[in-house]
Amino acid sequence: MDVNAAVAAAAAIAGVLTGVIAMLSFRYSEREQKRPTRTSLHTDPVLPPGVDTVLSVLRSSAVVLDEGDAVVKASSAAYALGLVRGGKLAIEPMMQMARDTRRDGEIRQVELDLPRRGTGRGEALAVSARVAPLGSRLVLLLVEDLTEARRIEAVRRDFVANVSHELKTPVGALSLLSEAVMGASDDPEAVERFAGRMQIEATRLTNLVQELIDLSRVQNDDPLEDAEPVRVDELVAEAIDRCRHQAGTKQITMAAGGTADLRVWGNRGQLAAALGNLVENAVNYSPARTRVGIAARRVSTPGGDLIEVAVTDQGIGISEKDKERVFERFYRVDPARSRHTGGTGLGLAIVKHVAASHGGEVTVWSSEGQGSTFTLRLPEAGAARDRASQHPDLDDEDGQPPTDSSPYEPLPAPEVLP
């Protein structure tokens, strides 16, 4: 009996101890679950309500960092720029800005040049980085890509510089020639010679100002506001008539051909100016006693029928490096020859903008010593309106028209005539 009582007492004591231990374990487990852990502090922070939605619609690249410098949220643009790699902010100056802002709560902004990913040419991305605190634990980094804005600003700055230089040359020449006329007032032959030179410089200045006006107009105006069906035959005849005197002086033959009765949809004045510039260039850069050809045809494409007008000459031709730049403003293949012919370097830039604003393009084929073929491609009247509404941004000077092969055979080499 005493043995049984002892066993029962021992079992009771063991049960009590087991219950106490279970209760203590349960309490300890509850405390551990409520205690913040390193993982919950650094990998599972919660963004303030609405922040995720706002960041998803921002144009800027956005990165949210926690107190351990780990990336909590990053937009796709941030990854594309190479700001985030391996879950960390990869740009050390931005990381230092984030740490400073986390320490004192001050908003910081700086402009940086970052290496461009995937290229070995040393090109840089210009960015503006702004860091601000986001709540008590997070830091928000917004990065704006300024590369395109800086490039456009450089293009405009160069344009102003080029205009100033081009205007200064004839104005300075007129000033010197007027002084020469005053000093040679008693020499009729000298006065006549200087007056002739003044007339040439005045004409060059007038042409430059007019082409600047034309370029500004085609860049800013919508050609479809005054659009109409335009006969290609009439445009070709007008371009030939415009250059008839220059061609006759150099004994250059101008011949028109191709498909008749073609029409394009657009602004008649702009189209006439564009084709006229192509024909005028062909005449100016062709040697005497050669030929300039203008041919038009219809070409079927998946986007609709196109009208191609090709202007072919037997001139000096264009080198490979120059073909990439001939449509830039003020660019001249042969500056000395351009000054002699009165060229401003704006004619082909005007052609490019007219073609693009009408939903078309202009291309060039050329070989040095064998001549050049400039091809103006425009949508045919009827299908042109939809195509013209999709023309690209004309502020981008780097988006040059392609320089593909011409579908037209070049004219034969000029004969050497006595």
Side-chain angles (χ1 to χ4, degrees), residues 23 32 42 76 89 118 122 161 172 227 279 331 333 378 380 408:
M23 183 179 64
E32 287 298 311
H42 294 283
S76 58
L89 186 63
V279 176
Y331 186 79
V333 175
L378 299 167
E380 188 173 17
Y408 299 90

Side-chain angles (χ1 to χ4, degrees), residues 92-170:
E92 183 58 34
M94 296 182 187
M95 180 70 79
Q96 188 59 48
M97 288 174 58
R99 291 167 179 164
D100 294 340
T101 296
R102 186 184 300 112
R103 184 181 64 253
D104 55 24
E106 293 290 332
I107 297 176
R108 290 174 167 81
Q109 184 168 351
V110 68
E111 292 188 2
L112 301 169
D113 290 332
L114 307 180
R116 190 185 296 269
R117 297 184 65 187
T119 63
R121 295 174 293 177
E123 297 180 354
L125 289 171
V127 300
S128 173
R130 184 178 179 86
V131 179
L134 186 64
S136 59
R137 296 167 49 194
L138 305 178
V139 173
L140 173 63
L141 169 67
L142 295 177
V143 179
E144 188 81 21
D145 188 355
L146 304 178
T147 307
E148 185 67 10
R150 284 192 180 180
R151 189 190 63 76
I152 292 175
E153 180 60 30
V155 169
R156 291 176 177 170
R157 188 168 55 249
D158 291 344
F159 179 73
V160 172
N162 286 330
V163 169
S164 302
H165 174 75
E166 295 295 334
L167 290 174
K168 181 180 178 181
T169 301

Side-chain angles (χ1 to χ4, degrees), residues 235 238-240 242-243 246 270-282 311 351 376:
L235 295 177
E238 188 174 334
I240 291 176
R242 168 179 165 178
C243 304
Q246 297 166 273
Q270 292 189 13
L271 294 173
L275 185 57
N277 285 347
L278 291 180
V279 176
E280 186 175 14
N281 270 7
V311 179
V351 175
L376 183 62

Side-chain angles (χ1 to χ4, degrees), residues 224-237:
L224 299 185
E225 290 183 359
D226 301 317
E228 59 179 330
V230 182
R231 290 175 56 91
V232 176
D233 294 342
E234 294 177 359
L235 295 177
V236 172

